[in-house]
């Protein structure tokens, strides 16, 4: 077992686009989304211990079994009959909740870190399957970069990396629980092509995205903006201030904007200083190879 504590980054994601196709018989919704890792990240530190002990520097994050890191650790321990414990500390920067996949990313990184510390030797696919039981966004974090997510969001297919250097994430102080966002989806706003053709459309859109020829689209926007008009105000403001494109991430409340130039992004940040309840993060995309290097993923 490694003697020394070690730290891994836990990156956030945005969704370049997200289409909801309709409800499945298991109660989940059929999705088609393009995920993207971004440079905003938390940090997880792992140290050997006899018990499982979890701590976090943020008050907004539970530190009992409802935390996805603790769930991930317990599931891994049970599945591989691990006797050892671990001391895990989470340094939080990703707004929680916020549509940036923070909790899901933390769960995936916990599985990766503990697989290493406990010397389990589980393949990435095995960890990914445990991840899918924890949450629909978790499997993507075993891939990183730009990737297509289908089914519940757990079927991941890597795509050629799409990169943007001048992103701005804005998270207003409102919360739309994912479950409510799905429940409030108005059938009129769902993408209603059949599953096969939507997959084709999504792949095409991912290709168009790279050539800058498509609008970003998130099927949650209409219903989420209706529940929390403050999020719509964020989007409008970012457009007004010169963003090239703006979209909701996941089911919100975070919105991301793409800028052509750093200068425009900087003037936007300055102009938004008056919005005391909005958290802002100037970030860039993280490619698959950068992601895998940072997490030392080699299988
Ligand atoms: O899988 P996850 O825990 O992230 O999902 C949270 C909630 O969001 C689910 O309980 C479900 O209500 C909804 N959901 C859905 N369809 C998906 C993913 C999530 O309806 N594909």
């Amino acid at each position: 077992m490694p003697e020394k504590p070690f730290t891994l980054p836990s990156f956030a994601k945005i969704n370049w686009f997200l289409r909801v196709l309709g409800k499945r018989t298991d109660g989940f919704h059929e999705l088609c989304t393009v995920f993207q890792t971004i440079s905003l990240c938390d940090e997880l530190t792992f140290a050997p211990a006899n018990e499982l002990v979890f701590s976090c520097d943020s008050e907004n994050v539970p530190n009992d079994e409802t935390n996805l890191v603790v769930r991930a650790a317990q599931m891994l321990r049970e599945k591989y009959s691990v006797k050892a414990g671990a001391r895990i500390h989470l340094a939080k920067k990703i707004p929680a909740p916020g549509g940036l996949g923070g909790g899901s990313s933390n769960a995936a990184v916990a599985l990766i870190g503990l697989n290493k510390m406990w010397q389990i030797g589980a393949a990435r696919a095995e960890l990914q399957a445990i991840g899918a039981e924890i949450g629909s966004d978790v499997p993507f974090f075993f891939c990183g970069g730009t990737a297509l997510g289908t089914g519940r969001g757990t079927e991941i297919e890597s795509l050629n990396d799409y990169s943007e250097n001048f992103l701005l994430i804005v998270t207003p102080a409102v919360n739309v629980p994912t479950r409510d966002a799905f429940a409030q989806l108005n059938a009129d706003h769902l993408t209603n092509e059949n599953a096969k053709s939507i997959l084709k459309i999504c792949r095409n859109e991912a290709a168009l995205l790279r050539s800058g020829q498509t609008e970003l689209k998130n099927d949650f926007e209409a219903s989420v903006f209706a529940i929390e008009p403050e999020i719509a105000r964020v989007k409008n403001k970012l457009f007004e201030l010169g963003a090239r494109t703006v979209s909701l991430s996941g089911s919100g409340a975070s919105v991301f904007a793409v800028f052509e130039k750093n200068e425009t992004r900087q003037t936007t940040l300055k102009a938004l200083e008056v919005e005391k309840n909005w958290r802002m993060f100037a970030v860039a995309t993280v490619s698959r190879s950068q992601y895998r290097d940072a997490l030392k993923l080699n299988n």
Side-chain angles (χ1 to χ4, degrees):
M1 190 177 293
E3 295 285 306
K4 285 192 196 145
F6 63 94
T7 298
L8 293 175
S10 177
F11 293 96
K13 61 85 182 160
I14 53 172
N15 301 79
W16 286 127
F17 59 83
L18 196 164
R19 301 198 145 180
V20 186
L21 297 163
K23 208 161 180 178
R24 307 166 11 144
T25 49
D26 62 3
F28 282 86
H29 289 75
E30 196 72 19
L31 304 182
C32 182
T33 186
V34 174
F35 290 111
Q36 174 67 55
T37 37
I38 55 170
S39 53
L40 174 64
C41 70
D42 295 338
E43 276 183 353
L44 275 166
T45 300
F46 302 87
N50 294 328
E51 306 287 320
L52 201 54
V53 187
F54 174 73
S55 58
C56 178
D57 64 359
S58 163
E59 284 171 8
N60 298 334
V61 174
N63 52 13
D64 58 11
E65 294 88 74
T66 58
N67 191 293
L68 298 188
V69 170
V70 179
R71 267 200 72 203
Q74 288 173 338
M75 284 172 76
L76 195 67
R77 224 174 162 206
E78 212 162 286
K79 178 153 185 173
Y80 295 95
S81 308
V82 174
K83 297 280 181 293
R87 199 150 40 78
I88 310 172
H89 180 74
L90 172 60
K92 201 80 197 153
K93 280 210 201 96
I94 305 172
L100 300 172
S104 304
S105 171
N106 296 163
V109 173
L111 293 173
I112 293 165
L114 293 172
N115 183 47
K116 178 176 162 191
M117 196 174 80
W118 289 336
Q119 298 183 326
I120 295 172
R124 200 145 51 99
E126 290 175 64
L127 298 180
Q128 194 163 324
I130 301 173
E133 285 182 51
I134 299 171
S136 304
D137 283 348
V138 180
F140 162 66
F141 291 100
F142 291 91
C143 177
T146 311
L148 189 66
T150 54
R152 255 175 68 206
T154 58
E155 312 289 318
I156 305 297
E157 191 182 304
S158 58
L159 297 172
N160 289 336
D161 277 316
Y162 177 68
S163 76
E164 287 290 352
N165 288 324
F166 310 121
L167 295 172
L168 185 63
I169 311 287
V170 179
T171 311
V174 293
N175 177 24
V176 183
T178 307
R179 193 181 295 265
D180 296 357
F182 273 106
Q184 292 296 315
L185 276 173
N186 183 331
D188 295 343
H189 293 122
L190 296 186
T191 301
N192 53 22
E193 285 90 354
N194 70 45
K196 248 193 198 145
S197 65
I198 195 77
L199 202 59
K200 211 166 141 201
I201 292 169
C202 280
R203 285 207 182 95
N204 284 344
E205 289 207 28
L208 290 173
L209 189 71
R210 279 190 293 279
S211 58
Q213 292 173 47
T214 189
E215 290 277 305
L216 304 180
K217 171 145 177 42
N218 182 325
D219 278 343
F220 280 117
E221 282 196 351
S223 53
V224 165
F225 289 176
I227 301 169
E228 287 293 355
E230 181 72 349
I231 308 176
R233 194 167 77 81
V234 173
K235 179 168 176 170
N236 293 335
K237 199 84 195 167
L238 286 164
F239 264 132
E240 258 172 48
L241 290 165
R244 186 178 84 212
T245 46
V246 186
S247 179
L248 185 72
S249 181
S251 56
S254 302
V255 169
F256 64 91
V258 181
F259 289 88
E260 295 287 359
K261 294 188 205 146
N262 192 29
E263 293 78 62
T264 327
R265 179 172 66 170
Q266 290 308 119
T267 52
T268 299
L269 271 167
K270 192 96 196 107
L272 294 181
E273 274 173 7
V274 290
E275 301 288 352
K276 299 293 178 209
N277 290 323
W278 294 4
R279 274 180 293 171
M280 284 167 261
F281 307 93
V283 299
T285 51
V286 170
S287 71
R288 187 163 311 103
S289 63
Q290 288 170 328
Y291 186 80
R292 292 169 61 101
D293 286 351
L295 283 162
K296 303 176 184 71
L297 282 174
N298 47 19
N299 69 350

